[in-house]
Amino acid sequence: MTVILFAILRQLYYPAMSDYATKVFGFKTFGQVYGMVICLSGLVKLSRYGIYALTLETFQGNPTPVNIALAALGFTVGVVWV
C-alpha cells in the first residue's frame, strides 16, 4: 500500500512545487527559483550516504537517534520559517 501511495503522490509533488514557485515568485523568476530548488534538493539528497553510514557505523544499525535528530531539525526549520 505504501509503495502505491508513494508512486501516486510523487507524481503530484513536482507540479505542486512548480505551481507554488510560480504563484509566489512569478513567471519572471520561475526558472531561477525552480532550478535552485531542484539543485538544493539534489545536494541535500547526497547527505543520505553520510546519514546511512552514521546509522550503520556509529549507532550499530539503530536508526532512532538519526530519526530523532532529523525530526528535531525539521521541526526547528519549520518553526523558524513559519
Side-chain angles (χ1 to χ4, degrees):
M1 183 67 178
T2 305
V3 172
I4 294 170
L5 284 175
F6 177 76
I8 292 169
L9 294 176
R10 182 180 173 140
Q11 303 304 316
L12 301 174
Y13 172 71
Y14 290 104
M17 185 174 57
S18 63
D19 181 57
Y20 177 78
T22 303
K23 287 180 180 176
V24 172
F25 300 103
F27 288 106
K28 187 175 182 179
T29 59
F30 171 76
Q32 293 173 339
V33 171
Y34 192 73
M36 183 183 67
V37 168
I38 296 297
C39 181
L40 288 175
S41 173
L43 291 174
V44 170
K45 196 180 281 191
L46 288 174
S47 69
R48 73 181 175 160
Y49 298 109
I51 292 171
Y52 187 64
L54 181 72
T55 301
L56 288 179
E57 296 171 9
T58 305
F59 300 118
Q60 288 77 37
N62 181 11
T64 304
V66 173
N67 288 340
I68 291 171
L70 290 174
L73 178 67
F75 179 77
T76 304
V77 169
V79 167
V80 168
W81 282 357
V82 174

